[in-house]
Amino acid sequence: MELLKNLKNRWLAPTPNFWKKVQSVGIVIGGLGAVIVAPPFGLSLIGGYMVAVGSVAGVLSQLTIDEQR
């Protein structure tokens, strides 16, 4: 239970500026990956990796906190 509470607190804490930029880049990469996967002739392997990388970058950057505050 403590782990979930810790994750919730980290999720709601302010994100440092650098990680906000990383999060934005991750969202763009994930979106581009979804566009590549969507058509019937899409490149599912490359697009799938892009969606995965973008999702992981977005979530991990959201969980970072500024320890100095």
Side-chain angles (χ1 to χ4, degrees):
M1 235 20 208
E2 186 66 30
L3 176 65
L4 293 177
K5 187 175 180 181
N6 189 15
L7 283 174
K8 180 183 173 189
N9 290 338
R10 291 179 74 94
W11 188 268
L12 297 175
T15 305
N17 287 334
F18 171 76
W19 292 106
K20 285 181 184 178
K21 292 175 186 174
V22 171
Q23 187 176 32
S24 296
V25 170
I27 290 171
V28 168
I29 290 172
L32 288 174
V35 168
I36 291 173
V37 170
F41 56 85
L43 303 169
S44 61
L45 182 64
I46 295 170
Y49 283 135
M50 289 175 70
V51 169
V53 167
S55 301
V56 169
V59 170
L60 290 181
S61 63
Q62 179 64 38
L63 291 175
T64 58
I65 58 174
D66 191 3
E67 291 289 333
Q68 296 175 353
R69 290 186 182 183

